[in-house]
Amino acid sequence: MTGAQMIAACSIAGSDSGGGAGIQADLKTFTALGIWGLTVITAVTAQNTREVRGTWVLPPDAVRAQVETVADDFLIGAWKTGMLADRSVIRAVAEALPDGADLVIDPVMVSTSGHRLLSEDAVADLTELLIPRAAIVTPNIPEAEALAGMRVATVKDMAEAGRRILDLGARAVVVKGGHLPGGTAVDLLVDRDGVAEASGKRYPYSVHGSGCCFSAALTAHLARGLDARRALIAAREFIDTAIREAAGGPGPTRIINPGGTNGYRG
């Protein structure tokens, strides 16, 4: 069995036919960081950088079987979830995920183009079944507002939202500040020890897949044995490179480029 000799991480998420987000972005990120990438596909989407034209959710038995199969053969250092689609998929993941797994939850709810990627009635299952098992939860501002039940308009609000999500049982929360105005994008890590900040340059263009890439980088660094705070610093450096070197597409939105055009040298 060769799986036990590799550092592996597993992404539980949807497939992006445009290759810029979801499972595809996660695998590119894992590869750029020297991690063997495993996948559990929850849904197939027809999408590009501008829109999601269709979504087809896999049966929960198919999701459960994928989780169990990779867990039986690979030594998985960390797991991440992205698009979970609905309650049945969340419950299948919760049932099949190994006890004690280091889990990063990217609570994907709505695509950048406005397409719903998590049914509204599934948010309660996410907060009850998976967030209490999370090593890190990585909401953007709208997701933090939904999970924390409050408006987030400032960095101070981000910290309070992070504390509320922490109270749901997660070990750490990274609230991503990309939706707030300003020349610097500020991310806050909130854990039992307090609040830590990581920031990066804000670029004057929209990038498809940046949230997936960032949470996958956190997952990869957890798989390598870093704690949440050190993983945040490393992931922030990585995502800055990926956004700076984002690939130009046919429209105004660029596509995330894990590792940059010349390869990641971190």
Side-chain angles (χ1 to χ4, degrees):
M1 199 284 282
T2 59
Q5 289 135 30
M6 298 181 269
I7 299 176
C10 182
S11 171
I12 304 172
S15 170
D16 173 3
S17 56
I23 286 286
Q24 287 82 353
D26 292 347
L27 283 177
K28 292 169 186 176
T29 301
F30 292 158
T31 298
L33 290 170
I35 299 294
W36 182 261
L38 308 169
T39 64
V40 171
I41 296 177
T42 59
V44 175
T45 70
Q47 67 174 291
N48 52 37
T49 62
R50 297 187 300 273
E51 61 182 332
V52 179
R53 295 185 182 177
T55 300
W56 297 267
V57 181
L58 268 67
D61 285 348
V63 175
R64 186 182 297 106
Q66 290 177 80
V67 174
E68 293 172 347
T69 301
V70 294
D72 281 346
D73 191 41
F74 293 88
L75 185 62
I76 302 173
W79 303 69
K80 75 152 278 193
T81 63
M83 178 184 175
L84 293 174
D86 63 24
R87 301 175 71 184
S88 67
V89 170
I90 291 173
R91 292 174 180 180
V93 171
E95 291 168 5
L97 197 69
D99 291 338
D102 266 338
L103 175 64
V104 174
I105 294 178
D106 185 9
V108 176
M109 296 181 183
V110 179
S111 72
T112 303
S113 61
H115 190 92
R116 189 86 197 180
L117 299 178
L118 180 69
S119 60
E120 292 188 33
D121 65 356
V123 176
D125 291 86
L126 180 68
T127 59
E128 293 170 11
L129 299 178
L130 288 180
I131 287 181
R133 300 173 66 178
I136 309 175
V137 184
T138 65
N140 59 27
I141 296 296
E143 292 158 356
E145 291 179 330
L147 293 174
M150 62 175 283
R151 183 170 179 268
V152 177
T154 66
V155 173
K156 184 178 179 180
D157 292 341
M158 289 170 60
E160 175 58 27
R163 284 188 285 268
R164 294 189 185 190
I165 299 168
L166 197 69
D167 286 343
L168 297 175
R171 299 206 304 269
V173 180
V174 174
V175 182
K176 299 175 293 186
H179 286 77
L180 294 185
T184 301
V186 177
D187 299 330
L188 291 188
L189 183 144
V190 183
D191 61 15
R192 309 298 169 186
D193 295 323
V195 179
E197 180 179 310
S199 60
K201 179 180 177 181
R202 187 185 302 278
Y203 291 88
Y205 45 79
S206 177
V207 180
H208 178 62
S210 57
C212 299
C213 180
F214 176 69
S215 58
L218 278 174
T219 306
H221 288 300
L222 287 184
R224 287 193 173 280
L226 273 63
D227 61 26
R229 293 192 174 214
R230 290 189 297 157
L232 171 61
I233 293 169
R236 182 72 252 187
E237 178 186 350
F238 180 85
I239 194 66
D240 283 349
T241 301
I243 293 175
R244 184 178 66 247
E245 303 294 346
T253 300
R254 301 191 185 189
I255 303 172
I256 196 70
N257 187 12
T261 55
N262 295 319
Y264 183 62
R265 297 291 185 264

